[in-house]
Amino acid sequence: MKKLLKIIGIVLLIIIVGVFTLWKVIEYRGNHYYNYLETKKDLEKKYSKLGEYEVSFKSFNADSDVFKEYEIWYPAGLEKSSNKYPVVVIANGTGITASKYKSFFKHLASWGFVVIGNEDENSRSGESSSKSLDYILKQNEDKSSIFYNKIDTNNIGIGGHSQGGVATINAVNNWDNGKLYKSMYTASATSPFWGQVGQFGTEWAYDITKITIPYFFIAGTGHFDSGEATSIKETSGQGICPLYAMQDIYSKLTTKYKVMGRLVNKDHGKTYQKADGYMTAWFMYWLKGDKQAGNAFFGDNAEILTNANWQDVKINK
């Protein structure tokens, strides 16, 4: 009996150690997801990796029970640099606050951006994103701040995933400082179907026809994103961001520069990571004037058009 108990104890110990090791591996891969993305093309690969900048982080009290903190990732050399840096505001997905996807912010900041978020778990109105932008611009004017005179106010972008996609659109359209954004991006933004009475409600609604700045929006072909419905009139089988809704949004956008696409065999919860390379390239082109990054989207040989990771791509040329 003692020998049996000893064997059982050893087996349990091996299982515990194995589970703990597996958990640590999963945690590490999650925190370094950009090293494990399956890229198919050169530009997608380049901008999926970390950029050349070391990254620092600071958080500030937001004086709000809802927003809680403003969290800022930025190039570590900013404090001693005479350069100005473009800003990207990130709007949170449902319950997924800035502190829960630090590696995503770090990746973008490593390419030379000041990236700001907050702890709002229900971002859809765009208010918390508006407040985040106000905050970093205030820091730019504050002589006691490390961000004093370090923000390139002519190059500001915004992006968000899921509910954060709704927030992104509403932050651009419905808040006074929305006119300051130069470019925008959304991943798996909750479709207009869910912004109806009887669904999530009209507070999830947005007006895509008001968008006048360059817009790149993506989703996945997985079931949770795409669903089975082919029309907003269908009351069952609706995905979070189905193809028919994306096509309708694309057709209603009046902005000259618009790009849409879907990630092959990827679903809602992972799209913001899997599209990270092209999201980064999008902001590099529009906010930093990186012409090579623009080759991912524009021209007869736009890389995304022939990338096997993507389908249903549309580009307004």
Side-chain angles (χ1 to χ4, degrees):
M1 179 62 73
K2 289 183 178 180
K3 183 177 291 186
L4 178 61
L5 290 174
K6 185 176 181 180
I7 292 172
I8 292 173
I10 292 172
V11 171
L12 288 174
L13 179 60
I14 291 172
I15 292 173
I16 291 170
V17 170
V19 169
F20 178 76
T21 301
L22 178 61
W23 177 77
K24 294 301 289 185
V25 168
I26 293 172
E27 181 183 45
Y28 179 86
R29 287 177 67 94
N31 290 335
H32 300 82
Y33 71 90
Y34 36 76
N35 291 330
Y36 301 96
L37 295 176
E38 298 175 1
T39 56
K40 299 291 187 183
K41 293 285 187 174
D42 291 342
L43 295 177
E44 182 186 37
K45 181 178 182 179
K46 174 180 177 177
Y47 293 104
S48 291
K49 299 294 185 181
L50 285 179
E52 64 179 292
Y53 295 87
E54 294 292 326
V55 176
S56 292
F57 166 79
K58 284 188 178 295
S59 63
F60 303 88
N61 190 327
D63 293 322
S64 166
D65 291 337
V66 176
F67 312 152
K68 297 179 182 177
E69 290 186 326
Y70 297 117
E71 291 138 318
I72 305 174
W73 285 256
Y74 60 96
L78 174 147
E79 299 173 53
K80 297 180 180 179
S81 173
S82 60
N83 295 332
K84 293 179 182 289
Y85 298 83
V87 170
V88 179
V89 176
I90 299 295
N92 300 330
T94 303
I96 308 298
T97 61
S99 62
K100 293 181 180 178
Y101 51 133
K102 298 176 181 178
S103 56
F104 179 75
F105 284 75
K106 174 185 175 181
H107 174 269
L108 190 53
S110 77
W111 285 91
F113 299 96
V114 173
V115 188
I116 184 169
N118 56 62
E119 292 297 290
D120 185 9
E121 296 187 351
N122 295 284
S123 65
R124 55 190 174 271
S125 72
E127 180 182 7
S128 60
S129 295
S130 176
K131 298 293 186 183
S132 290
L133 179 55
D134 279 345
Y135 186 80
I136 193 62
L137 293 178
K138 183 179 179 181
Q139 292 293 300
N140 188 54
E141 301 295 326
D142 183 354
K143 292 183 179 180
S144 66
S145 171
I146 64 167
F147 300 105
Y148 173 65
N149 206 29
K150 295 294 194 302
I151 303 302
D152 182 354
T153 57
N154 292 318
N155 286 292
I156 300 172
I158 184 170
H161 170 249
S162 192
Q163 181 177 172
V166 178
T168 295
I169 298 166
N170 285 332
V172 171
N173 285 343
N174 299 340
W175 296 87
D176 288 343
N177 59 9
K179 62 182 179 295
L180 300 177
Y181 293 113
K182 186 177 180 180
S183 180
M184 60 188 290
Y185 162 85
T186 60
S188 301
T190 312
S191 83
F193 171 84
W194 300 104
Q196 300 179 103
V197 174
Q199 300 303 328
F200 291 171
T202 55
E203 62 182 18
W204 287 76
Y206 49 84
D207 187 351
I208 205 68
T209 65
K210 292 182 179 180
I211 297 298
T212 59
I213 59 176
Y215 183 20
F216 176 36
F217 61 107
I218 68 99
T221 63
H223 183 74
F224 195 54
D225 251 5
S226 63
E228 298 171 350
T230 57
S231 165
I232 195 171
K233 296 179 181 179
E234 298 176 38
T235 57
S236 63
Q238 291 285 345
I240 294 296
C241 190
L243 178 59
Y244 83 80
M246 296 181 71
Q247 292 172 331
D248 186 55
I249 286 170
Y250 186 88
S251 69
K252 290 178 178 177
L253 282 168
T254 58
T255 178
K256 180 179 179 181
Y257 300 102
K258 54 184 178 180
V259 180
M260 66 163 270
R262 294 203 300 166
L263 284 157
V264 177
N265 296 325
K266 305 302 178 187
D267 215 339
H268 187 79
K270 292 294 184 181
T271 55
Y272 76 93
Q273 290 183 342
K274 303 301 183 182
D276 209 356
Y278 282 156
M279 178 205 71
T280 301
W282 182 257
F283 286 130
M284 287 292 289
Y285 178 73
W286 288 109
L287 305 183
K288 299 192 75 175
D290 183 342
K291 293 183 179 180
Q292 185 183 40
N295 291 334
F297 311 101
F298 305 115
D300 293 336
N301 298 311
E303 184 182 276
I304 193 172
L305 290 172
T306 57
N307 189 328
N309 280 337
W310 294 81
Q311 68 179 55
D312 305 306
V313 175
K314 288 181 177 292
I315 300 175
N316 191 46
K317 297 183 180 180

